[in-house]
Amino acid sequence: KLNTYVSEEVTKLVENLKEVGSKISDKVTKIKLAETISNIKKIKSVKKIKEQHLSALMMSYELLKELKEVIKK
């Protein structure tokens, strides 16, 4: 069950990050965001979810939140 949930969350998170990424003009931020997306996608292929995977997801959600705040300004 956890694997299924994490997989769904990764899919949603990647879509949201790509959407926010399309609104960012800074090249360095875009590169870092692309790397973050690449790293989170790897979580979907993991057979056993560990604490580090959940931590990476939480940090990515925090990044998404911060990027949305920056775009609003």
Side-chain angles (χ1 to χ4, degrees), residues 27-39:
K27 288 183 179 184
V28 175
T29 305
K30 278 191 174 196
I31 292 169
K32 289 183 178 184
L33 186 56
E35 188 64 32
T36 301
I37 290 170
S38 172
N39 286 334

Side-chain angles (χ1 to χ4, degrees), residues 3 5 8-10 15-16 20 23 26 28 30 32 34 38 41 52 57-59 61 64-69 72:
N3 280 355
Y5 177 76
E8 290 171 3
E9 288 300 309
V10 166
E15 287 176 14
N16 287 330
V20 170
K23 298 175 184 175
D26 182 39
V28 175
K30 278 191 174 196
K32 289 183 178 184
S38 172
K41 282 183 178 180
Q52 65 189 23
L57 274 178
M58 291 186 335
M59 286 188 285
Y61 273 115
L64 178 63
K65 180 180 162 188
E66 289 177 21
L67 289 173
K68 284 183 176 181
E69 288 176 11
K72 286 181 183 178

Side-chain angles (χ1 to χ4, degrees), residues 3 41-50 53:
N3 280 355
K41 282 183 178 180
K42 293 176 186 175
I43 295 174
K44 286 178 81 171
S45 62
V46 173
K47 291 183 180 178
K48 185 174 181 182
I49 302 296
K50 297 182 181 177
H53 301 122

